[in-house]
Amino acid sequence: MKKLLFLLLALSFLHVTPLPRPQFGIVIHGGAGTILKKNMTEEREAKYREKLGEVLKKGHQMLADGEKALDVVEQCIWLLEDSPLFNAGRGAVFTHEGRNELDASIMDGTTQMAGAVAGVTTVKHPISAARAVMEQSPHVMLAREGAEEFAELNGLEMVDPAYFATDRRKKSLKRAIDRESKQGDEGSVFPSEEDDYKFGTVGVAVLDQYGHLAAGTSTGGMTNKRWARIGDSPVIGAGTYANDATCAISCTGHGEYFIRYAVAHDIHARMAYKGESLDKAAKAVVHQTLQDAGGTGGVIGIDRKGNVTMQFNTAGMYRGYYRDGDVAPVVGIYGE
Ligand code: ASP
């Protein structure tokens, strides 16, 4: 009898005091790929950890201050685009012709509005151009000169294309071209695993205090790309997706696969139609669908309850999250 009473008491206690769940949260990535500890210096690793931590703290503070999901996505991606560590904005990879052609997209989970730009070379913050397309045009995606003209018309900061160039990425292009000519493998734009090549795209997914979700992705694409190749990052449903009913997702990896398998949307769809949790859906898509197809990369996501996921089938992924109630930001690089 006593036991029963105790059980009833415990149950009613649980009922009236549900576990607190995070009111807001941010999850980010800085690209997935052959990121191995043996190829990394301590100094370099510290730089990555520091930058990821800085971005998470900034996003967390903005969210605590009541800022909206879309603003947090945009501002946090600015920090990553400004950092030469990542393949987005300054520090983007080079095309075969030695240019930096940038792609970005953003999606609002509340309205299902979305914007994207592809192949821009003079917009300092491609993520803001994507947002301008979403908010200031009737379109979803603008490309190349047209996108640049639109960005300038909307008052965005424009720069000389040389602003994006870094020596490190120039060297990666040279290595990729040398290898290509050795192999007589004309037309292959994908670097081999032996290179210290890392994809390095950036992405941010956010749940704000108002229960709204948003996601954004920004990239220079893949080293040695040509023929105005565009990957998944600016493709809504492939590299980026957000829906307040389910989750906000940003992807990184071998873009062609992410487009073919509509990776970001597929995670949303599994949650919406099969009732899967975010983690289960993301694991299935990355470790089964993508893996079986031979696609490499990773995804980050957050759901409307503040659950986060960070899945990748590569050696590593620069990543992290920070939610309301977490004692500190959590940052990771290698498979742990
Ligand atoms: N997904 C990007 C692309 O294919 C590259 C990356 O994420 O590293 O353009």
Side-chain angles (χ1 to χ4, degrees), residues 166-182:
T166 56
D167 281 348
R168 172 185 171 213
R169 299 297 191 184
K170 249 181 219 160
K171 284 183 194 145
S172 289
L173 174 66
K174 190 175 175 309
R175 277 197 299 274
I177 291 180
D178 287 351
R179 195 176 39 243
E180 198 176 78
S181 52
K182 259 189 231 143

Side-chain angles (χ1 to χ4, degrees), residues 29-247:
H29 70 76
T34 319
I35 309 167
L36 295 169
K37 195 155 179 90
K38 66 174 168 71
N39 297 335
M40 184 79 91
T41 62
E42 256 175 47
E43 195 195 343
R44 193 160 180 77
E45 177 172 335
K47 276 192 192 158
Y48 275 104
R49 289 191 182 274
E50 195 186 319
K51 185 49 88 178
L52 293 169
E54 178 195 328
V55 174
L56 289 168
K57 282 184 199 147
K58 158 122 183 169
H60 189 274
Q61 188 59 52
M62 287 181 77
L63 290 164
D65 291 345
E67 304 232 20
K68 296 198 178 118
L70 274 176
D71 294 325
V72 177
V73 167
E74 185 182 10
Q75 288 303 307
C76 288
I77 289 188
W78 268 43
L79 290 180
L80 294 161
E81 286 178 341
D82 287 346
S83 165
L85 291 173
F86 300 99
N87 171 21
R90 204 160 95 76
V93 298
F94 281 88
T95 64
H96 187 71
E97 297 77 22
R99 290 152 49 91
N100 303 110
E101 295 181 0
L102 312 169
D103 306 329
S105 67
I106 193 164
M107 185 160 185
D108 180 350
T110 310
T111 58
Q112 301 296 281
M113 295 291 281
V117 292
V120 296
T121 59
T122 55
V123 186
K124 185 172 184 194
H125 294 115
I127 194 67
S128 297
R131 185 168 181 181
V133 173
M134 172 172 78
E135 292 177 339
Q136 313 296 337
S137 89
H139 309 301
V140 170
M141 190 190 283
L142 300 179
R144 300 174 81 83
E145 295 79 9
E148 288 168 351
E149 195 186 325
F150 176 81
E152 195 163 11
L153 270 174
N154 278 277
L156 297 189
E157 189 173 350
M158 309 301 284
V159 289
D160 187 280
Y163 163 79
F164 300 107
T166 56
D167 281 348
R168 172 185 171 213
R169 299 297 191 184
K170 249 181 219 160
K171 284 183 194 145
S172 289
L173 174 66
K174 190 175 175 309
R175 277 197 299 274
I177 291 180
D178 287 351
R179 195 176 39 243
E180 198 176 78
S181 52
K182 259 189 231 143
Q183 291 169 348
D185 167 18
E186 271 272 327
S188 161
V189 293
F190 302 111
S192 88
E193 297 273 307
E194 306 114 52
D195 201 351
D196 72 339
Y197 175 92
K198 290 137 201 122
F199 295 115
T201 294
V202 306
V204 174
V206 163
L207 165 71
D208 69 19
Q209 285 191 25
Y210 317 101
H212 296 322
L213 293 168
T217 310
S218 182
T219 189
M222 295 185 113
T223 300
N224 200 22
K225 66 183 181 181
R226 63 180 98 162
W227 306 305
R229 178 264 186 193
I230 294 164
D232 61 312
S233 306
V235 178
I236 295 299
T240 304
Y241 199 74
N243 186 321
D244 278 4
T246 53
C247 59

